Amino acid sequence: MATVEQRNHAKSFLRKAEEYLASAEANLVAARHTVAAGDAIHAGISAKDAVVTELTGTTIKAKDHAVAAKQLRQALGRRPEATSAEKALRELLSSKADVEYGVALISAAKAEALVRRARALVDLATRVVRLNG
């Protein structure tokens, strides 16, 4: 169980996730697909940080993104959404290098898929942090 300070950190991570998601959705509507994809990735990462901090009291910042997905899965334990959340985060993180460092622009279809994954993670984070469940 997280302390009051840790819960406040989780809430801050959730607010960041919500802001990134709102930006991703606005950029998607404006046909700025690469930027939408980047915002979606950051929304997913912040959502992971919110969930993990709420459930465990801390979150790990590692260069190896596979660690982040594992950490999310472990924090969620036996919850029914644990597998789908881990998969969504892995899919977001697997696109990070192409989106942020690649030379190709991201397609509308790819951006839409990434935003959907981010939305699912932010919804989960909202339930975990705000509803404490």
Side-chain angles (χ1 to χ4, degrees), residues 11-112:
K11 289 176 187 176
S12 292
F13 284 127
L14 177 58
R15 281 192 297 277
K16 285 172 66 172
E18 292 168 334
E19 288 179 13
Y20 277 125
L21 180 60
S23 181
E25 291 173 336
N27 280 312
L28 198 58
V29 169
R32 293 185 294 262
H33 302 119
T34 301
V35 178
D39 287 340
I41 292 164
H42 291 288
I45 293 168
S46 293
K48 182 278 294 184
D49 289 337
V51 168
V52 173
T53 300
E54 178 69 24
L55 296 176
T56 71
T58 189
T59 188
I60 297 169
K61 303 291 186 182
K63 291 186 186 218
D64 178 4
H65 293 302
V67 171
K70 263 188 219 175
Q71 184 186 29
L72 178 62
R73 174 64 187 249
Q74 289 172 343
L76 288 168
R78 294 179 180 245
R79 292 171 187 247
E81 59 272 272
T83 300
S84 61
E86 178 186 21
K87 181 180 178 189
L89 186 58
R90 282 187 191 283
E91 290 175 11
L92 286 167
L93 294 172
S94 71
S95 297
K96 191 173 189 304
D98 288 341
V99 170
E100 294 185 356
Y101 311 114
V103 295
L105 296 175
I106 302 303
S107 70
K110 177 74 171 179
E112 288 166 3

